[in-house]
Amino acid sequence: MNAQKVISGFFIILAMTLNFGFVYGDINNFAHHSPYELFAAIVVNFIATVLKLGDKTQLGSVLLATSLVADIQLIASAIVWAVSLYVANHGIASSAQVIVSLASGALLANIVSVILFMGDTLKSKR
Amino acid sequence: MHSNNILWIVIRRMRTPLLVIIITFSISILGLVLIPGIDNNGHIYHMNFLDAFYFVTFMASTIGFGEIPYEFTYAQRLWVLFSIYISVIGWFYAIGALVTLIQDKKLISELKIAKFSKKIKNLKEYFVIILGYNHTTKDLIQRLSADNKRIVVIDKNQEKIDELELENFIPEVYAISANIDSPDTLRLAGIAKRNCKAIIVLFDNDFKNTKIALLARLLNQKINIIVKSSTKEQTEHLKNLGIKSIIDPFNLVANRFFLAISAPNLWFLEMLIFGHKLDIKDYEALPKGKYIICGYGRMGKALRESLDKANIECSFIDLKSAAHKAKKNSAIFGDAQDYKELVKAGVKNAVAIIAATKDDLINLTILRAAKKINPDIYTIGRENTIDDITIFNSAKIDRVYILEEIISEHVHRLVSMPLAYRFLEELHKKSNDWGADLTKSLKSMTNEDIELFEVRIVKKEAYALTKYLKNGGSINLGLLARSLGDRSKRSKIVFLMVKNRKEEVTLLPDDNYEVKVSDRLLVASTQEAREDFELIINNDNELYYILTGKELRFGIYKFFDKIAKKGDK
């Protein structure tokens, strides 16, 4: 068992599951989407990104790229949230669809990342 | 490739600090959001993520704008207290890591490599690579810099490179410390570049020299490799590799010595090629008679060969500097036993003594001892490092052969004036009488210092002449040697050699030689004559004057000429 593999695998998969948890639910009903879950998804995504840093292989670079995509999408959705709630002051309901769809984009990137990660693990003989 | 390395070093070092920051920040933010506070109206509220993130950011960086949006409750303060400790520590840890990273030796060296390779990449002029920075190459760099040549230096030792950078050579010499015999380093120094003209390898270790020469040959087929070799076997070996410029210092000294003793006029010309002063004193002529050589190493053997070739009697004292030092426990020659040895070798009736050991101090003391026994003896010393020059000067030795200087002189000529070097090779095939004629004509021409220079008849170096020749004109050397002040007179200029497009050389071409485009000329002249000559070949008007004896009229002058003609009618 490789401790590093456990840690990075844990965070990569957790990033995906948290992201899914946030996105899951009616897109028009904001009660289905918890802000805490978005926060957790962002933090875990950041951690996953940092863990992927420094791998010089081809696969490592692509993994890093997927993580960066997810980060950007999640940050964008958080920014939309903050702006619509505190800056524009028109309530969350009108931007709910935008926030959730941005997060779903991040989910796709996270899924790609997990698939690549699994593929690499299956290929490894040790 | 190198900038990538820098990125990887930074990323790898910053991983942990980044993780620490992310985790401490997120814990603090989450706590602030979850713990209920009380607003101004006494209602319970929950801090939102934006406020929490804002608060934690200025808290962790110790900016501290205060408690927002409302004054905190005790529960919140307890949490903030805890957060301060974890996030401030995390933040400082990250900054500390960044600072150590900047001082990281590996990172610094990668940054230097990246800077160096960028400089080499942007270098558009011709340049030469010199391996190793020592007395010889320092002298060489000074000579080449004076000719405005661009130089790249690699040395294994960073201290040497620092020393070089303090010298402030102009134009800038690019230098880096790296492993010398690795192909990566040579490539980094630009050996594969088209404008890299030569690589100069002058280490004391023949084996190392050959290895690098071979490597350089493989990396660039066209490059001129100038390599030092101190034995005949090694020279042979290098020749088989197809390397033409081989510097064998002992051979060079022996050659020069042979010329000095058997053909003083050729020797005089050789010294002229190397830019020495021309007024030769009486004591500089080598006497004929019995010679004594002290030290029978590579140098001693080479000298013996030239003495044999010149039919001069000589005897030996087989003295090895290392063995001598071990035996006598001192670096000085000259106890009673040593004197006896000198007398036995016949110092009393010899005309000259050569001290040719590897140790400068022993050489000096040998000559002193010989002078004590026979005050009239002519002393010749081998000086191994340029550094000892002041000692040798004050010791009043009649002739000193400085190995490092001779190497540097030869390499300098090879790089900056290949035609002069070729002339030198031709010179060695000639007789003393041939040399006497040339020497006489040079001496009768002028008392001033003679300058030596090379010109190639191409647009860049001889604008007007090339244009004229390309338009079908023809001109011979006699015309080109005319004085600009008065066309009927000849300037103080001698054409030593011409090399044409087919690489054929003509020694001392006569005045009827027709100059062709892309000929290369080796010229000896006074400074004034050189200026004249350069004007003639570059300036249309001056060339016209030399060809016709008339001034070329242009623009408004032509108009005046017309009026003048009309007036004449």
Side-chain angles (χ1 to χ4, degrees):
Chain A
M1 201 174 74
N2 185 341
Q4 208 193 339
K5 236 1 188 208
V6 174
I7 295 171
S8 54
F10 172 79
F11 278 103
I12 290 172
I13 292 171
L14 188 62
M16 182 186 71
T17 52
L18 283 171
N19 199 336
F20 177 75
F22 174 72
V23 171
Y24 186 69
D26 186 359
I27 195 165
N28 294 312
N29 185 356
F30 210 66
H32 292 175
H33 308 284
S34 152
Y36 294 104
E37 206 151 18
L38 181 61
F39 174 73
I42 292 178
V43 170
V44 173
N45 254 295
F46 278 177
I47 294 176
T49 311
V50 174
L51 288 175
K52 286 170 183 174
L53 285 178
D55 183 355
K56 275 191 176 184
T57 60
Q58 178 87 7
L59 188 83
S61 323
V62 182
L63 271 178
L64 181 60
T66 58
S67 250
L68 290 174
V69 171
D71 288 344
I72 285 180
Q73 295 250 337
L74 288 174
I75 291 170
S77 95
I79 289 175
V80 171
W81 192 323
V83 168
S84 60
L85 204 56
Y86 309 119
V87 183
N89 274 327
H90 53 53
I92 196 69
S94 58
S95 328
Q97 288 95 333
V98 182
I99 294 166
V100 176
S101 62
L102 276 170
S104 349
L107 178 62
L108 273 185
N110 266 322
I111 291 171
V112 172
S113 163
V114 169
I115 291 171
L116 286 175
F117 182 74
M118 286 194 310
D120 184 44
T121 316
L122 290 177
K123 216 178 68 191
S124 159
K125 295 201 173 89
R126 269 168 287 137
Chain B
M1 178 182 126
H2 296 291
S3 55
N4 230 347
N5 272 348
I6 296 168
L7 188 69
W8 285 121
I9 291 175
V10 173
I11 283 176
R12 201 168 292 160
R13 290 299 185 82
M14 290 313 287
R15 255 172 79 153
T16 329
L18 278 176
L19 275 180
V20 169
I21 286 188
I22 292 173
I23 292 168
T24 52
F25 268 50
S26 54
I27 291 174
S28 310
I29 292 172
L30 196 63
L32 281 174
V33 172
L34 289 178
I35 295 168
I38 292 174
D39 67 13
N40 291 345
N41 304 324
H43 299 300
I44 286 182
Y45 84 102
H46 279 274
M47 217 185 214
N48 60 49
F49 278 109
L50 186 65
D51 283 339
F53 182 48
Y54 179 55
F55 178 79
V56 170
T57 305
F58 68 60
M59 175 190 72
S61 52
T62 69
I63 292 169
F65 285 145
E67 296 172 349
I68 52 119
Y70 310 107
E71 209 166 291
F72 287 173
T73 61
Y74 276 106
Q76 279 178 311
R77 283 190 186 152
L78 270 175
W79 179 251
V80 170
L81 200 58
F82 166 73
S83 318
I84 285 175
Y85 282 100
I86 60 166
S87 61
V88 170
I89 288 172
W91 186 254
F92 281 0
Y93 168 56
I95 289 178
L98 206 64
V99 172
T100 16
L101 184 69
I102 292 167
Q103 295 165 335
D104 185 72
K105 276 209 176 107
K106 181 87 183 103
L107 183 73
I108 291 172
S109 92
E110 286 293 338
L111 280 172
K112 269 190 183 157
I113 289 176
K115 210 169 137 195
F116 178 78
S117 90
K118 200 176 165 196
K119 276 183 186 167
I120 299 286
K121 210 172 158 192
N122 291 337
L123 191 57
K124 295 280 176 284
E125 301 144 74
Y126 284 125
F127 66 97
V128 294
I129 300 174
I130 296 179
L131 296 185
Y133 184 67
N134 47 38
H135 295 307
T136 319
T137 49
K138 183 180 169 187
D139 190 64
L140 179 61
I141 292 169
Q142 276 161 353
R143 286 167 197 267
L144 288 173
S145 293
D147 292 343
N148 262 326
K149 290 271 184 277
R150 299 308 301 261
I151 302 163
V152 173
V153 176
I154 315 173
D155 196 295
K156 207 166 57 188
N157 202 337
Q158 178 62 39
E159 281 165 33
K160 289 275 176 70
I161 297 299
D162 293 341
E163 216 176 281
L164 183 147
E165 272 160 7
L166 284 178
E167 289 285 338
N168 266 332
F169 292 112
I170 295 170
E172 191 189 346
V173 171
Y174 299 149
I176 197 161
S177 67
N179 188 11
I180 285 163
D181 44 11
S182 100
D184 283 345
T185 313
L186 292 180
R187 224 174 268 136
L188 177 69
I191 195 170
K193 280 191 73 173
R194 204 192 252 169
N195 52 341
C196 178
K197 254 179 123 183
I199 178 164
I200 297 165
V201 195
L202 301 175
F203 294 109
D204 285 335
N205 184 341
D206 275 355
F207 182 68
K208 196 168 163 189
N209 287 341
T210 317
K211 188 182 161 194
I212 296 171
L214 181 62
L215 209 59
R217 176 52 79 227
L218 291 175
L219 289 172
N220 186 341
Q221 296 291 327
K222 284 182 187 153
I223 199 173
N224 185 13
I225 298 168
I226 298 170
V227 56
K228 184 177 141 187
S229 150
S230 46
T231 61
K232 272 189 185 145
E233 298 78 41
Q234 198 67 23
T235 307
E236 200 64 34
H237 191 57
L238 287 168
K239 271 186 186 151
N240 289 340
L241 286 177
I243 290 163
K244 282 179 207 125
S245 315
I246 302 164
I247 300 284
D248 179 348
F250 301 112
N251 199 14
L252 295 176
V253 171
N255 250 333
R256 192 175 280 187
F257 183 68
F258 174 71
L259 279 187
I261 204 163
S262 67
N265 284 309
L266 293 182
W267 175 79
F268 172 85
L269 289 171
E270 171 160 340
M271 299 320 272
L272 178 82
I273 299 281
F274 286 116
H276 289 252
K277 289 270 175 293
L278 280 188
D279 47 337
I280 288 180
K281 313 270 184 331
D282 285 342
Y283 69 79
E284 285 193 56
L286 289 179
K288 294 209 171 170
K290 192 186 163 196
Y291 276 68
I292 297 176
I293 300 178
C294 279
Y296 195 46
R298 289 173 296 189
M299 172 108 169
K301 279 177 193 156
L303 288 177
R304 185 198 180 155
E305 267 175 38
S306 39
L307 281 173
D308 284 349
K309 216 158 69 175
N311 276 330
I312 283 176
E313 185 197 352
C314 66
S315 64
F316 288 97
I317 300 176
D318 190 1
L319 186 78
K320 292 207 172 57
S321 56
H324 182 84
K325 271 190 268 188
K327 201 173 79 188
K328 302 264 158 104
N329 219 353
S330 86
I332 287 173
F333 180 93
D335 58 15
Q337 198 191 351
D338 294 334
Y339 273 85
K340 240 184 235 164
E341 233 175 294
L342 274 178
V343 173
K344 209 174 91 192
V347 78
K348 277 184 181 149
N349 52 16
V351 293
I353 180 162
I354 306 170
T357 71
K358 229 190 270 178
D359 189 292
D360 283 348
L361 198 57
I362 292 184
N363 285 347
L364 277 175
T365 43
I366 288 173
L367 297 180
R368 239 178 70 123
K371 202 104 190 171
K372 245 183 200 167
I373 302 173
N374 179 356
D376 296 328
I377 202 161
Y378 191 88
T379 48
I380 301 168
R382 160 180 173 183
E383 182 184 334
N384 293 286
T385 66
I386 296 178
D387 258 12
D388 291 337
I389 193 147
T390 42
I391 317 173
F392 273 78
N393 277 346
S394 52
K396 292 213 170 110
I397 293 165
D398 296 313
R399 176 162 307 171
V400 181
Y401 286 108
I402 310 169
L403 281 183
E404 289 181 342
E405 195 189 20
I406 288 173
I407 294 171
S408 149
E409 265 179 359
H410 275 81
V411 177
H412 172 224
R413 275 290 168 258
L414 256 174
V415 172
S416 73
M417 237 190 247
L419 217 53
Y421 205 78
R422 180 70 197 270
F423 181 76
L424 213 61
E425 285 171 353
E426 297 292 326
L427 197 72
H428 288 177
K429 297 175 195 158
K430 295 286 179 188
S431 70
N432 192 32
D433 294 340
W434 183 88
D437 290 345
L438 182 55
T439 316
K440 220 164 110 189
S441 66
L442 281 175
K443 274 185 180 161
S444 63
M445 184 173 85
T446 177
N447 300 323
E448 293 170 48
D449 284 345
I450 289 181
E451 280 187 20
L452 212 65
F453 60 97
E454 258 183 62
V455 175
R456 192 171 177 207
I457 311 297
V458 289
K459 223 162 195 174
K460 211 172 141 199
E461 289 176 42
Y463 175 78
L465 184 58
T466 314
K467 205 169 84 179
Y468 173 72
L469 291 175
K470 278 194 175 154
N471 289 337
S474 70
I475 191 166
N476 59 30
L477 286 180
L479 274 174
L480 284 177
R482 299 284 172 85
S483 161
L484 261 190
D486 181 354
R487 184 171 170 269
S488 59
K489 281 186 190 142
R490 195 186 160 90
S491 3
K492 293 172 176 171
I493 193 165
V494 173
F495 297 99
L496 292 178
M497 196 167 82
V498 182
K499 188 168 162 189
N500 66 15
R501 197 184 289 188
K502 291 173 206 146
E503 306 276 306
E504 294 159 350
V505 297
T506 316
L507 274 185
L508 298 180
D510 61 14
D511 280 358
N512 296 324
Y513 182 89
E514 299 269 341
V515 181
K516 297 273 178 320
V517 176
S518 64
D519 275 358
R520 287 164 191 270
L521 304 176
L522 179 67
V523 192
S525 73
T526 60
Q527 197 194 343
E528 192 195 345
R530 176 182 182 166
E531 280 162 13
D532 271 12
F533 179 72
E534 281 173 350
L535 260 178
I536 292 170
I537 61 176
N538 280 300
N539 188 316
D540 286 331
N541 299 339
E542 309 292 356
L543 183 66
Y544 185 80
Y545 168 74
I546 288 297
L547 283 167
T548 62
K550 281 182 246 163
E551 295 290 338
L552 188 62
R553 300 297 220 168
F554 53 90
I556 197 150
Y557 294 105
K558 260 188 183 164
F559 177 68
F560 286 136
D561 284 348
K562 259 185 207 163
I563 294 173
K565 254 183 205 166
K566 264 183 198 164
D568 285 346
K569 275 174 193 170

